[in-house]
């Protein structure tokens, strides 16, 4: 029986009923939108002179939100007689205005605006705007919109930030085209029809690491300049290896570098839709891909495909590959969320093996620490190698720790994560192995802030390690890091290596506590 709390308040006299009780308002009586606000924003946009960037961006954003209401859409449709007064903002100098214009057009799809939107896609140079234009085109649902989406060629990223933007663009393009491919799916690719030679690529500078992993797994691999080759039928044994980035099937070199010869080398055309991928081509990429697709035949659909046909104009000559993509990579099930500075899983796998190969001593059941844990990749990859006494990740941001914990649940990991400044964190046990993806300065933090952080962290590092422990430190700020290490007599550098990340060339430095150091 529920206990009632004692009421110590003084009784209040009951109010007399009103002679005319107010009628109850129905949800249907509430206005669907603020008509006055809609008119205000519409006037801002459709004046003879274009509105200032800040006002235009705000008006477009507000009207896009209102357009979710049917009544507001009808009101807007009746008011936008001259669509050129809206599409002119696709040429605005501020990218936020162009982005919001695309979003508004996608919400409204006014008649006669599709050509302007398609032209905006062709000339847009700010990658953050492109997904909004692609999604807007997808809202029109016409053959002309599909053609505009099909014509668009994904840009080639030059750094890690652009790589993230290009992934968002590719995802937006797939979403926009989904209505044109409703219900279509590809069979899961699990094996080749006959034993087939494949090339496994490794992160830059990590071919040797990959080769030793493959041979350690009992796979008969050969090391090449491009990666490691082996012959296989089923994919499952290959995916026991964690250090490769891509699985490619080399194609014999064509007779010449023209599209017709390359198409003949790839022939016959894949039965399923494919994507023609052109790399390092100095000329008109779009024209070359169109000519290649025409010569090859089949369906070239860069947003919904089962295999990539890669044409790479390298310094050593033209190289062709088939890359199947309609399979499930089972290796990184923990990677449900990532942050902008997350290390690639295959890079983390390689660097962990590099550290353990070069460390003076590796102990069983190690205590493992990552003081800049991010989304947890280093710890999750370390866990795949062997049992650990503990796996602890520390990050200063609570939201980042939440992401790492979600990833840990997805991967059924034993790693635990703590939201704390690593300079104030005191571990229960010193680390046998420490892995850290330090702030690069150009993606996270600044060089000035890193100077203070790196000095303080390197000063604390001997306290975080056991006498036999080691730390693998990964950063673009390697000169700053090495300077800090040299100033700390309690640390000694055991090995260095360089790799690549989104066009950058970060270094990995392996350090240990000096045998005579007093901490």
């Amino acid at each position: 029986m529920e206990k009632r709390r004692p009421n110590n308040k003084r009784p209040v006299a009951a109010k007399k009923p009103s002679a005319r009780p107010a009628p109850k308002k129905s949800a249907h009586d509430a206005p669907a939108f603020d008509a006055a606000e809609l008119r205000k924003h519409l006037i801002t946009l459709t004046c003879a002179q274009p509105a200032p960037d800040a006002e235009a961006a705000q008006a477009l954003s507000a009207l896009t939100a209102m357009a979710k209401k049917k009544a507001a859409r009808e009101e807007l449709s009746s008011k936008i007689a001259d669509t050129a007064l809206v599409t002119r903002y696709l040429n605005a100098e501020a990218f936020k205005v162009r982005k919001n214009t695309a979003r508004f057009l996608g919400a409204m799809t006014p008649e006669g605006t599709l050509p302007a939107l398609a032209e905006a896609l062709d000339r847009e140079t700010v990658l953050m705007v492109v997904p909004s234009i692609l999604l807007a085109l997808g809202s029109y649902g016409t053959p002309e919109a599909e053609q505009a989406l099909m014509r668009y060629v994904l840009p080639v990223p030059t750094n890690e930030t652009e790589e993230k933007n290009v992934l968002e663009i590719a995802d937006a393009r797939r979403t926009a085209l989904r209505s044109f491919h409703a219900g279509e799916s590809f069979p899961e690719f699990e094996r080749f029809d006959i034993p087939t030679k494949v090339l496994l690529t490794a992160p830059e500078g990590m071919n040797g690491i990959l080769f030793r992993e493959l041979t350690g797994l009992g796979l008969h691999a050969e090391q090449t300049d491009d990666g490691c080759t082996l012959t296989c039928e089923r994919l499952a044994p290959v995916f026991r290896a964690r250090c490769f980035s891509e699985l490619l099937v080399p194609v014999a070199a064509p007779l010449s570098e023209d599209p017709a010869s390359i198409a003949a080398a790839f022939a016959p055309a894949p039965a399923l839709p494919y994507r023609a991928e052109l790399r390092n081509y100095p000329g008109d990429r779009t024209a070359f891909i169109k000519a290649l697709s025409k010569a090859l035949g089949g369906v070239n659909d860069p947003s919904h495909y089962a295999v990539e046909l890669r044409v790479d104009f390298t310094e050593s000559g033209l190289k062709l590959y088939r890359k199947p993509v309609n399979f499930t990579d089972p290796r990184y099930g923990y990677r449900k969320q990532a942050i902008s500075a997350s290390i690639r899983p295959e890079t983390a796998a390689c660097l962990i093996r590099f550290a353990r190969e070069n460390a003076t001593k590796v102990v069983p059941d190690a205590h493992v620490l990552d003081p800049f844990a991010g989304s947890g990749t280093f710890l999750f990859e370390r866990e795949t190698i062997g049992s650990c006494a503990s796996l602890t990740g520390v990050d200063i941001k609570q939201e980042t720790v939440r992401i790492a914990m979600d990833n840990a649940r997805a991967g059924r990991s034993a790693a635990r994560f703590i939201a704390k400044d690593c300079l104030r964190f005191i571990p229960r046990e010193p680390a046998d192995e420490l892995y850290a993806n330090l702030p690069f300065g150009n993606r996270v933090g600044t060089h000035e802030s890193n100077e203070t952080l790196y000095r303080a962290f390197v000063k604390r590092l001997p306290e975080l390690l056991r006498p036999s422990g080691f730390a693998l430190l990964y950063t673009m700020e390697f000169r700053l890091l090495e300077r800090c290490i040299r100033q700390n007599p309690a640390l000694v550098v055991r090995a260095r290596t360089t790799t690549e990340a989104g066009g950058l060339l970060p270094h990995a430095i392996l350090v240990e506590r000096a045998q005579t150091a007093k901490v």
Side-chain angles (χ1 to χ4, degrees):
M1 183 174 180
E2 183 183 357
K3 294 183 179 180
R4 296 178 178 270
R5 294 182 179 179
N7 185 359
N8 297 324
K9 295 183 179 180
R10 296 177 63 184
V12 180
K15 292 183 179 180
K16 293 181 179 180
S18 171
R20 291 184 178 181
K24 291 184 179 181
K25 288 187 177 182
S26 166
H28 297 289
D29 296 328
F33 62 95
D34 189 328
E37 185 182 5
L38 182 147
R39 286 193 295 272
K40 180 187 75 172
H41 291 310
L42 202 54
I43 290 170
T44 298
L45 291 180
T46 56
C47 286
Q49 293 298 322
D53 289 339
E55 294 179 20
Q58 182 182 7
L60 288 160
S61 179
L63 291 177
T64 301
M66 289 183 187
K68 295 178 182 177
K69 301 280 188 179
K70 181 179 178 180
R73 274 198 310 277
E74 292 174 351
E75 178 76 9
L76 284 167
S77 297
S78 66
K79 300 292 184 184
I80 308 176
D82 188 355
T83 55
L85 292 175
V86 177
T87 57
R88 63 184 174 179
Y89 291 105
L90 291 170
N91 296 302
E93 185 175 348
F95 75 86
K96 188 173 183 180
V97 177
R98 303 196 300 274
K99 183 182 180 76
N100 285 356
T101 304
R103 292 177 57 239
F104 176 68
L105 293 175
M108 293 297 303
T109 62
E111 187 175 352
T113 57
L114 178 58
L117 194 62
E119 290 173 8
L121 177 63
D122 291 337
R123 65 173 177 267
E124 185 57 62
T125 58
V126 178
L127 298 183
M128 288 186 293
V129 179
V130 174
S132 296
I133 301 178
L134 294 170
L135 293 171
L137 286 168
S139 300
Y140 283 75
T142 65
E144 292 78 13
E146 183 182 17
Q147 290 170 12
L149 290 165
M150 295 290 288
R151 281 198 311 269
Y152 183 72
V153 178
L154 291 177
V156 178
T158 59
N159 56 50
E160 199 155 318
T161 300
E162 287 188 2
E163 184 179 0
K164 179 183 177 183
N165 289 333
V166 171
L167 289 174
E168 291 173 353
I169 290 171
D171 185 60
R173 197 165 182 275
R174 281 192 295 271
T175 301
L177 281 166
R178 195 165 292 154
S179 60
F180 300 104
H181 304 285
E184 182 181 354
S185 60
F186 302 130
E188 183 83 359
F189 179 69
E190 296 179 344
R191 62 186 303 150
F192 297 100
D193 294 333
I194 59 174
T196 301
K197 183 179 181 180
V198 299
L199 170 69
L200 304 181
T201 66
E204 183 71 25
M206 298 294 165
N207 276 359
I209 298 285
L210 172 59
F211 176 73
R212 289 188 287 279
E213 182 192 26
L214 293 170
T215 54
L217 292 169
L219 298 172
H220 299 289
E222 294 183 9
Q223 190 173 345
T224 73
D225 292 339
D226 297 324
C228 294
T229 60
L230 55 86
T231 300
C232 70
E233 285 188 65
R234 295 170 53 245
L235 296 186
V238 178
F239 281 114
R240 289 186 293 149
R242 307 190 70 83
C243 292
F244 71 89
S245 305
E246 291 185 299
L247 183 150
L248 306 172
V249 180
V251 175
L255 296 176
S256 65
E257 296 184 353
D258 63 277
S261 292
I262 293 173
F266 278 123
L272 296 173
Y274 62 88
R275 172 190 174 186
E277 167 71 5
L278 187 61
R279 296 192 173 184
N280 302 309
Y281 182 62
D284 186 335
R285 296 179 71 253
T286 302
F288 191 100
I289 289 176
K290 285 182 178 178
L292 173 63
S293 302
K294 182 178 180 181
L296 184 60
V299 179
N300 179 18
D301 183 351
S303 66
H304 190 67
Y305 57 96
V307 62
E308 176 188 296
L309 305 183
R310 182 177 300 178
V311 182
D312 194 353
F313 288 81
T314 70
E315 292 181 359
S316 59
L318 184 62
K319 296 182 179 180
L320 307 183
Y321 304 99
R322 292 176 183 263
K323 179 186 175 182
V325 297
N326 56 327
F327 59 79
T328 301
D329 187 340
R331 296 179 296 170
Y332 311 125
Y334 60 79
R335 197 174 172 84
K336 297 302 180 184
Q337 297 184 70
I339 59 176
S340 60
S342 292
I343 189 172
R344 295 290 306 169
E346 61 271 22
T347 302
C350 288
L351 292 178
I352 290 168
R353 286 162 176 79
F354 168 81
R356 290 167 62 85
E357 285 181 1
N358 289 279
T360 302
K361 184 178 182 181
V362 177
V363 301
D365 294 322
H367 292 277
V368 183
L369 172 65
D370 184 346
F372 298 87
S375 57
T377 305
F378 260 134
L379 294 180
F380 301 140
E381 283 303 311
R382 171 60 185 87
E383 195 173 16
T384 66
I385 291 178
S387 62
C388 302
S390 66
L391 291 150
T392 305
V394 180
D395 199 280
I396 197 169
K397 294 183 179 180
Q398 182 68 54
E399 175 61 19
T400 302
V401 168
R402 183 196 64 76
I403 289 173
M405 292 172 69
D406 287 346
N407 288 342
R409 282 191 286 271
R412 298 182 180 180
S413 170
R416 67 187 188 102
F417 294 90
I418 301 167
K420 199 173 184 67
D421 185 342
C422 68
L423 300 180
R424 295 178 174 83
F425 170 70
I426 300 175
R428 294 177 183 175
E429 297 282 347
D432 298 296
E433 302 176 25
L434 183 150
Y435 301 95
N437 178 12
L438 297 167
F440 277 23
N442 55 348
R443 289 186 291 127
V444 177
T446 64
H447 178 72
E448 290 73 20
S449 63
N450 281 350
E451 286 205 50
T452 302
L453 173 63
Y454 279 41
R455 269 197 300 271
F457 173 67
V458 171
K459 184 178 180 180
R460 277 215 68 203
L461 190 52
E463 302 172 19
L464 299 174
L465 294 174
R466 290 185 187 275
S468 60
F470 63 81
L472 189 285
L473 309 176
Y474 175 69
T475 182
M476 269 298 293
E477 293 267 34
F478 50 89
R479 292 186 180 87
L480 169 60
L481 178 60
E482 289 186 325
R483 188 166 64 247
C484 294
I485 293 170
R486 284 196 301 269
Q487 294 170 354
N488 191 333
L491 296 173
V492 59
V493 175
R494 288 297 178 202
R496 298 178 179 84
T497 191
T498 306
T499 186
E500 187 271 343
L504 303 176
L505 298 174
H507 287 212
I509 302 176
L510 179 68
V511 300
E512 296 176 347
R513 276 181 53 176
Q515 294 301 312
T516 58
K518 294 183 179 179
V519 180

